[in-house]
Amino acid sequence: MTRTRSSESDEDSSPTTTGGGGGRGRTEMRVIVPLQGVVQGRGGLVLGSVIPCALFYLLQLYFKRHRSEPTPPPQTLTEVSELNRSLSRTHLSPRGSSAPACVSTRANSIVKSSDSPFYVGLKRVSEDPYDELSNPEGVIQLGLAENKLSLDLARDWLAETAKDSILSGGGSSGPLSMAGIANYQASDGLVELKVAVAGFMSQVMERSISFNPSQIVLTAGATPAIEILSFCLADTGNAFLVPTPYYPSFDRDLKWRTGVEIIPVPCRSADNFNLSISALDLAFDQGKKRGLKVRGIVISNPSNPVGNLLNRETIYTLVDFAREKNIHIISNEIFAGSTHGSEEFVSMAEIIDSEDLDRDRVHIVYGLSKDLCLPGFKVGVIYSSNENVLAAAKKLSRFSSISAPTQCLVISMLSDIRFIQKFIQTNRERLQRMYTKFVAGLKQLGIECMRSSGGFYCWADMRGLIRSYSEKGELELWNKLLNIAKINVTPGSSCHCIEPGWFHCCFTTLTEQDISVVMERIRKNNITFFLGFGCYSDTIKSSSHVPLQLFCFSPSYFFSLVP
Amino acid sequence: MNHSRSRRNPTREPDFPTVKPPSPGGSSSGGAGAAMRLIVPLQGVVQGRGGLILGSIIPGALYYFFQLYLKRCRSAKPNSNPPSPSSSSAQLADLSRSSSRSNLSSRGSVGPVRVSARANSIAKPNASPYYIGLEMASEDPYDRFDNPDGIMQLGLSENRLSLDLIETWILENLERSMIGGADGHLNISGIATYQPLDGMMEMKIAVAGFMSQVMGTTVSFDPSRLVLTSGATPAIETLCFCLADQGNAFLVPTPYYPGFDRDMKWRTGVELIPVHCRSSDNFALSVTALDQAFNQARKRGQKVRGILISNPSNPIGNMLNKETLYSLLDFAREKNIHIISDEIFAGSTYGSEEFVSMAEILESEDFDKNRVHIIYGLSKDLSLPGFRVGVIYSFNTSVLAAAKKLARFSSVSAPTQRILISMLSDTRFIQRYIETTRERIKKMYVAFAAGLKQLGIECTKSSAGLYCWADMSGLIRPYNEKGELELWDKLLKIGKINITPGSACHCIEPGWFRCCFTMLAEEDIPVVIKRIQRVVET
């Protein structure tokens, strides 16, 4: 090793050798001499950082190995396993919880993965859900993007037609066909359902895009749709660029079983959380430098949790970017029909329709959980023009097919054009009304929301309410909202938002009366907040420039002043 | 090399305006004094005083990193237009828009965007005769009246013998089960809204009850150990994800269900090691063969994480007796591996033999329960494959915890759960259904096996499943896989019947075929026999 090193440094006339030239006199120092250059910073950035780091890492590894030697893995030798038979029980007790037959590393990491506040909150609500009459002290759910505003429409329809639609196999007035629901069906969905879903998608997106049913793969919910696309587009160790803040479950759907990485692309409040290509570009380069192969971009449009839409120009730049880097785009458009603003929604499907070159790289995820308010039905959609992706996804749909009775039910529901038309319209109106009310309610408390025009939620700016402007402060507020005020919102950190103090509040699981309850709870929470933390005034005084005496006024006065 | 490096450095500088200054600054500040500290131990290394590992790893690592560095410099070279991250995004986008097309064409072969390597291997057309046959039969299905020249499906293990019972029940009860209570008020939030991903509790209780009822013994299944999935297929895959890592392996006695090659391997990256069973043992599993396969795998450096058995076995239809189950458990304990027991045909028995579930053994004796996991589903025993309900039953809390979280990728839809909850809770109906179905399977089995016997085709003695395992080794010309596939091809294309050749099930002896007879009506049996005869005689 030393020889090759030295001969190289003799022949080359590189910065390294000039660095080492000074110490050429002492022969046994050959290895050391270039390092001296490194230590003194003359060896360039890479040599200067990588080598010491590597050395340190290896040293650590060496120590670790030595330390872990006393407990060798039990499954190496037959003698050891012979021993196991008698010892296994005693082995069990000291180890405690861990079973002797160990599960896979990936299962272990899934089990151990600490639940983010998003999941902690959801669990907390499910244990103690608010109910106006039976449990008025329960936790109010603002963390789950579920639309209960138009359930009554779905209920009326189902009560009338459910039986017939299942028994007729989805046809409007066909004869009873048990075979259509009991037997094995195509795992990627019945053709009739694909046709119906394609029609629904065109209807919802309100434009002249037509979706080709043969480019649809149906899955048991949008969650497996995303996972299947991740499997199809990236291999283990590859990466996707995902603009933050993003939907917390992407960390599970895109990564868990696929072994794919997510590279966050931060969006900032200064840009209204809009996606910037330069940030994408930077993230792409950094990924490449880390040795990660970037295989695509995952965007949500309308975005979740912010609720803004991508305009046509951004979409075109995105496609250009993807073409330049030769990567894929997964466009999650599950909220496409749940818009409540005046802005127009532009689907990626228009790209698939128009530009020939890029159709292969654009894949759309859709589902009926949001726009048809039927998350319990578990119907997800992959829409792609890439033949390979479609072929693979069709085969992979064996792991998440939709049950046939549900398919029949949905076929006849979606084929009822009059009902669907009315549903979409009514649902939008209700969404709009709730959004306006909820945002107005927050505004009265001094909490501003990002202007948004899609989704079941608003992205609320509570930066003024957190004690320290950091993730810790944010989580403190979240914790207080959950445990004292008993409302579950999703903190921005769960969505990987880099700015603390933003919260994701879903308002569609509420009734209109509930809004005032929520506002009241936030208001009360903040009173206790300011009374309980006398020291807080000092923090405020030093961090913001609000005169202390303002806090002597009534809380409502204070709230009008919170930025 | 060095040129490129020195060229690189300046271009990188604007990249890390904040990162770069500290690192040389930090190290150079301690350069004079601290440098020697670092060197002195290395001196020991070079002179061989630092121990074997330090003395070899560190120079090795240095050399490795040096190589890596050189390689990086080299690979950076052809990429001659590094995307300069300018702050003006609009300008950049404009630039790329115009230059991108030329970029694409110059790259040539890369052309269209590629999918992942795993998707590529999955997207390839079907190679297994099992899937080819299924596809052909579905394109041109036999119907006594509409398409009498179509292909008869004997390749899919689906039970259509008792659909009439299900139909009657659904006609009578669907409304009640979906709409709910007697007041006719539809509980919409029980159907439309988000439900627990691993199945509703009521559904788990109903399924656990059904499993006890079907298995005909006194085993009781604990609903809290159930995870429901959308079919047994994802149940198997989920278990595979939970028990093995990429590159690990499972021992699987052959012949086995062709779908395992997809369910166990595709996305998990797990390998299957076949453990051959032979006709001379009536295809019964021997522990010595298991042991051998285990040792061979270990020699190859493969880590075996478990055994996957089907009980009743698919495609043979025999069952594992208590003794074999005990020795399997012993084997698993000895090797410290898991057992996945696929018991999806548990209720579809027609012989005099009694089915023994792994759960029963574990309950009666003091075995290590943590390593046993049972797969079940309603596709076979309740003849409802379209409903897509699979079950993972495990005693291992870690596996359950992981499987519950993974159930997000394959949940059963709520309306289906509602229907099934009330169907399975109707124990009188279920009892009658189980009994009638068993009688009908038995009758079909007897008629079908007798028909084959007329042609001189014997079946192995079986007592469960929706199929028989027929010995056609006398009918194949060269006695090898090629001869078997020729016969299969002739049966499919000339005889127009689709059966599964043993090679699709990884059977090492050629000439065996799996024939599912529960898709047929009784009147179809003579047609099948006649068609086989026609092929055999030509």
Side-chain angles (χ1 to χ4, degrees):
Chain A
M1 225 66 71
T2 38
R3 296 251 170 89
T4 48
R5 241 354 241 255
S6 63
S7 63
E8 240 170 50
S9 56
D10 280 340
E11 282 152 23
D12 283 356
S13 55
S14 65
T16 350
T17 29
T18 48
R24 209 176 265 178
R26 276 174 271 171
T27 41
E28 75 271 47
M29 294 296 262
R30 267 180 222 157
V31 175
I32 299 158
V33 173
L35 280 179
Q36 205 162 22
V38 167
V39 173
Q40 289 161 10
R42 275 189 273 143
L45 183 71
V46 178
L47 268 179
S49 60
V50 167
I51 291 184
C53 285
L55 282 173
F56 193 66
Y57 170 71
L58 288 169
L59 193 70
Q60 294 285 327
L61 194 75
Y62 173 73
F63 281 133
K64 205 176 134 199
R65 281 222 176 155
H66 269 254
R67 226 174 289 149
S68 62
E69 235 166 50
T71 52
Q75 56 273 45
T76 41
L77 293 164
T78 31
E79 287 90 342
V80 177
S81 52
E82 287 285 335
L83 271 173
N84 263 355
R85 207 187 274 207
S86 50
L87 284 177
S88 59
R89 259 152 244 274
T90 48
H91 267 189
L92 246 178
S93 45
R95 272 203 220 159
S97 63
S98 75
C102 49
V103 299
S104 65
T105 328
R106 48 189 171 201
N108 251 331
S109 69
I110 288 171
V111 173
K112 279 184 196 149
S113 65
S114 61
D115 284 344
S116 70
F118 175 66
Y119 291 103
V120 174
L122 291 184
K123 198 167 162 227
R124 185 81 170 68
V125 177
S126 69
E127 286 161 2
D128 178 24
Y130 169 80
D131 188 284
E132 205 181 332
L133 305 173
S134 59
N135 189 15
E137 294 302 309
V139 183
I140 298 182
Q141 178 67 287
L142 294 160
L144 190 64
E146 180 174 3
N147 184 353
K148 291 188 175 169
L149 301 177
S150 305
L151 273 186
D152 56 325
L153 300 179
R155 185 191 63 217
D156 293 345
W157 187 90
L158 283 171
E160 240 172 70
T161 16
K163 185 185 171 192
D164 295 336
S165 54
I166 289 181
L167 291 179
S168 63
S172 49
S173 60
L176 170 74
S177 68
M178 248 336 269
I181 61 170
N183 293 350
Y184 276 110
Q185 311 292 341
S187 66
D188 59 322
L190 300 170
V191 177
E192 295 93 323
L193 183 55
K194 290 185 184 179
V195 173
V197 165
F200 179 69
M201 285 168 77
S202 316
Q203 211 173 342
V204 145
M205 300 194 185
E206 268 192 336
R207 307 184 59 80
S208 53
I209 327 159
S210 68
F211 291 88
N212 182 351
S214 66
Q215 293 177 14
I216 285 182
V217 173
L218 298 174
T219 56
T223 300
I226 293 170
E227 196 200 28
I228 286 177
L229 275 181
S230 179
F231 267 113
C232 289
L233 303 180
D235 285 300
T236 311
N238 294 166
F240 283 114
L241 302 175
V242 188
T244 66
Y246 61 77
Y247 169 53
S249 292
F250 277 168
D251 287 328
R252 302 187 162 188
D253 304 344
L254 287 167
K255 285 160 73 178
W256 258 2
R257 299 202 293 191
T258 60
V260 169
E261 309 272 325
I262 289 180
I263 301 175
V265 182
C267 303
R268 285 152 211 280
S269 58
D271 307 330
N272 286 327
F273 292 101
N274 282 322
L275 177 61
S276 83
I277 296 292
S278 52
L280 267 181
D281 208 59
L282 201 67
F284 183 89
D285 288 343
Q286 277 170 0
K288 215 162 77 177
K289 266 176 209 146
R290 269 164 51 205
L292 283 175
K293 188 162 184 181
V294 176
R295 297 303 296 260
I297 314 169
V298 182
I299 52 162
S300 298
N301 182 27
S303 102
N304 179 6
V306 180
N308 49 6
L309 307 179
L310 294 182
N311 56 25
R312 196 176 297 267
E313 205 178 314
T314 315
I315 287 180
Y316 278 110
T317 6
L318 257 176
V319 174
D320 282 334
F321 178 79
R323 185 193 308 133
E324 188 194 310
K325 308 292 186 194
N326 197 24
I327 56 178
H328 294 269
I329 298 179
I330 298 178
S331 176
N332 175 17
E333 304 186 354
I334 196 161
F335 288 102
S338 305
T339 50
H340 48 71
S342 51
E343 241 180 299
E344 108 186 310
F345 169 79
V346 185
S347 167
M348 271 284 175
E350 285 187 34
I351 307 295
I352 297 186
D353 258 3
S354 55
E355 294 218 19
D356 227 34
L357 205 96
D358 301 312
R359 41 191 298 152
D360 271 2
R361 67 176 88 252
V362 177
H363 318 277
I364 295 174
V365 171
Y366 190 64
L368 304 183
S369 309
K370 313 294 182 190
D371 288 351
L372 202 58
C373 317
L374 294 177
F377 280 41
K378 312 286 324 150
V379 179
V381 177
I382 296 172
Y383 186 78
S384 171
S385 322
N386 189 313
E387 274 171 35
N388 285 324
V389 170
L390 278 178
K394 270 179 193 171
K395 288 189 171 177
L396 291 179
S397 66
R398 68 190 271 114
F399 300 114
S400 56
S401 8
I402 313 167
S403 87
T406 304
Q407 294 198 52
C408 296
L409 206 54
V410 176
I411 290 169
S412 48
M413 187 184 252
L414 295 181
S415 312
D416 189 343
I417 303 283
R418 274 224 342 266
F419 163 75
I420 292 295
Q421 197 67 55
K422 199 181 116 208
F423 180 90
I424 295 174
Q425 207 181 336
T426 319
N427 186 39
R428 267 204 194 130
E429 282 165 16
R430 292 180 182 176
L431 199 58
Q432 167 100 50
R433 205 167 65 227
M434 280 298 280
Y435 172 73
T436 317
K437 283 207 156 183
F438 192 83
V439 170
L442 285 178
K443 193 162 188 163
Q444 276 187 0
L445 299 178
I447 300 168
E448 291 282 345
C449 292
M450 209 70 217
R451 202 176 76 77
S452 71
S453 35
F456 302 158
Y457 34 75
C458 57
W459 185 238
D461 177 4
M462 306 199 191
R463 282 179 290 185
L465 303 182
I466 59 178
R467 275 216 294 163
S468 62
Y469 186 68
S470 66
E471 195 181 316
K472 194 168 153 251
E474 179 182 293
L475 291 179
E476 265 172 22
L477 178 59
W478 166 75
N479 197 29
K480 198 165 300 141
L481 284 168
L482 183 63
N483 291 313
I484 300 173
K486 301 234 170 174
I487 59 174
N488 174 41
V489 293
T490 310
S493 55
S494 287
C495 307
H496 299 261
C497 184
I498 49 162
E499 297 179 19
W502 292 86
F503 287 83
H504 179 232
C505 313
C506 300
F507 48 80
T508 48
T509 48
L510 307 175
T511 60
E512 274 182 49
Q513 300 92 288
D514 291 340
I515 292 185
S516 48
V517 181
V518 171
M519 297 311 155
E520 192 51 40
R521 285 186 178 192
I522 296 179
R523 190 194 304 274
K524 266 198 286 189
N525 163 54
N526 277 292
I527 295 167
T528 56
F529 178 49
F530 286 108
L531 295 180
F533 295 92
C535 58
Y536 181 68
S537 50
D538 299 327
T539 332
I540 288 281
K541 199 165 60 175
S542 54
S543 61
S544 65
H545 307 285
V546 186
L548 182 58
Q549 71 235 45
L550 276 181
F551 292 96
C552 306
F553 295 111
S554 67
S556 58
Y557 180 54
F558 168 70
F559 284 118
S560 61
L561 290 168
V562 170
Chain B
M1 229 72 64
N2 294 310
H3 285 295
S4 75
R5 192 200 302 150
S6 55
R7 186 150 36 97
R8 239 169 90 102
N9 277 338
T11 56
R12 281 178 52 161
E13 260 168 11
D15 250 353
F16 299 106
T18 47
V19 180
K20 207 196 168 182
S23 67
S27 50
S28 64
S29 65
M36 286 316 276
R37 264 182 238 152
L38 201 127
I39 295 159
V40 174
L42 281 178
Q43 207 164 20
V45 169
V46 173
Q47 289 159 10
R49 274 189 273 139
L52 184 71
I53 298 180
L54 264 180
S56 62
I57 288 186
I58 291 184
L62 282 173
Y63 192 66
Y64 170 72
F65 280 114
F66 186 64
Q67 294 285 330
L68 194 78
Y69 174 70
L70 289 183
K71 203 175 133 198
R72 280 224 174 158
C73 288
R74 219 176 292 147
S75 67
K77 225 177 190 176
N79 202 354
S80 55
N81 50 344
S84 53
S86 64
S87 53
S88 54
S89 63
Q91 272 176 11
L92 185 82
D94 278 338
L95 260 175
S96 65
R97 208 183 275 205
S98 53
S99 65
S100 58
R101 259 156 242 270
S102 57
N103 262 2
L104 252 179
S105 55
S106 69
R107 276 200 214 162
S109 67
V110 178
V113 67
R114 284 178 309 145
V115 300
S116 66
R118 51 190 171 201
N120 251 332
S121 69
I122 290 169
K124 270 185 211 147
N126 297 320
S128 161
Y130 173 70
Y131 290 103
I132 297 172
L134 287 183
E135 210 168 274
M136 280 187 70
S138 73
E139 278 161 13
D140 178 23
Y142 169 82
D143 187 287
R144 214 173 311 149
F145 308 108
D146 297 342
N147 190 14
D149 290 325
I151 297 174
M152 299 182 92
Q153 181 63 284
L154 290 111
L156 192 62
S157 66
E158 176 174 329
N159 185 355
R160 292 191 180 166
L161 302 175
S162 302
L163 277 186
D164 57 324
L165 300 180
I166 304 276
E167 184 178 314
T168 322
W169 186 91
I170 285 193
L171 272 178
E172 279 169 15
N173 301 292
L174 181 65
E175 201 143 21
R176 186 179 52 80
S177 62
M178 289 274 296
I179 313 256
D183 54 346
H185 189 72
L186 178 72
N187 175 19
I188 186 71
S189 55
I191 295 183
T193 59
Y194 276 108
Q195 305 295 334
L197 297 165
D198 57 325
M200 306 176 193
M201 201 55 205
E202 295 122 288
M203 177 72 172
K204 290 186 182 177
I205 293 170
V207 169
F210 178 70
M211 286 169 75
S212 309
Q213 213 175 340
V214 145
M215 300 200 183
T217 47
T218 50
V219 207
S220 69
F221 291 88
D222 178 356
S224 67
R225 288 183 189 147
L226 283 178
V227 173
L228 300 177
T229 56
S230 57
T233 300
I236 292 171
E237 196 200 30
T238 303
L239 266 185
C240 195
F241 267 113
C242 291
L243 302 181
D245 285 302
Q246 208 152 15
N248 293 166
F250 273 93
L251 301 175
V252 193
T254 67
Y256 62 78
Y257 165 59
F260 282 161
D261 286 327
R262 299 186 163 190
D263 304 343
M264 298 283 292
K265 286 157 73 177
W266 260 1
R267 297 201 292 191
T268 60
V270 167
E271 311 271 323
L272 295 186
I273 298 171
V275 180
H276 296 297
C277 303
R278 284 154 211 281
S279 59
S280 51
D281 308 329
N282 280 324
F283 293 102
L285 175 62
S286 83
V287 172
T288 39
L290 272 180
D291 203 58
Q292 215 176 7
F294 184 88
N295 288 330
Q296 277 172 359
R298 217 176 38 196
K299 265 178 212 148
R300 285 199 310 270
Q302 238 168 352
K303 188 164 183 179
V304 175
R305 298 304 296 260
I307 316 170
L308 169 65
I309 51 163
S310 302
N311 183 26
S313 104
N314 178 5
I316 295 162
N318 53 5
M319 298 195 274
L320 298 181
N321 55 25
K322 265 191 187 169
E323 212 173 303
T324 316
L325 291 178
Y326 281 126
S327 46
L328 262 174
L329 282 167
D330 280 333
F331 179 78
R333 184 179 42 195
E334 190 190 311
K335 308 293 187 195
N336 194 23
I337 56 178
H338 293 269
I339 296 180
I340 301 179
S341 177
D342 175 7
E343 305 188 351
I344 196 164
F345 289 102
S348 306
T349 55
Y350 47 78
S352 50
E353 238 180 302
E354 194 198 356
F355 169 77
V356 186
S357 166
M358 267 296 179
E360 194 186 332
I361 303 265
L362 289 178
E363 227 162 66
S364 57
E365 303 213 11
D366 188 30
F367 277 104
D368 180 9
K369 295 179 178 175
N370 276 313
R371 60 177 88 252
V372 178
H373 320 277
I374 295 171
I375 297 281
Y376 191 65
L378 303 182
S379 306
K380 314 295 180 186
D381 289 350
L382 200 59
S383 4
L384 291 176
F387 278 46
R388 314 289 327 131
V389 179
V391 177
I392 296 171
Y393 187 77
S394 175
F395 297 91
N396 188 316
T397 43
S398 306
V399 169
L400 279 178
K404 272 180 191 172
K405 286 188 172 180
L406 291 178
R408 65 188 283 114
F409 300 114
S410 52
S411 308
V412 188
S413 79
T416 304
Q417 293 195 53
R418 289 282 163 215
I419 298 174
L420 286 171
I421 289 169
S422 50
M423 188 188 282
L424 296 176
S425 313
D426 187 345
T427 35
R428 272 223 346 264
F429 163 75
I430 293 293
Q431 196 57 46
R432 195 165 54 91
Y433 169 84
I434 294 173
E435 280 163 22
T436 319
T437 309
R438 272 195 196 142
E439 277 163 30
R440 291 181 182 177
I441 297 177
K442 180 163 195 171
K443 203 162 129 203
M444 281 298 282
Y445 171 72
V446 172
F448 192 80
L452 287 179
K453 194 157 190 168
Q454 277 178 6
L455 300 177
I457 300 169
E458 293 281 345
C459 297
T460 36
K461 198 177 89 64
S462 64
S463 40
L466 309 172
Y467 35 74
C468 56
W469 184 239
D471 177 8
M472 305 196 188
S473 54
L475 305 177
I476 61 175
R477 200 59 53 73
Y479 180 71
N480 57 21
E481 194 181 315
K482 199 172 150 241
E484 178 183 292
L485 289 178
E486 264 170 29
L487 178 60
W488 166 77
D489 194 58
K490 263 198 282 186
L491 283 168
L492 183 63
K493 290 183 179 142
I494 302 167
K496 301 249 174 173
I497 61 170
N498 173 43
I499 55 179
T500 310
S503 56
C505 306
H506 300 261
C507 184
I508 46 162
E509 296 180 24
W512 292 86
F513 288 85
R514 186 188 79 159
C515 315
C516 300
F517 48 78
T518 47
M519 297 270 283
L520 307 172
E522 245 185 300
E523 307 89 271
D524 292 335
I525 293 182
V527 184
V528 173
I529 303 299
K530 213 175 284 169
R531 288 186 177 194
I532 296 178
Q533 192 171 20
R534 204 173 64 210
V535 171
V536 169
E537 282 171 1
T538 51

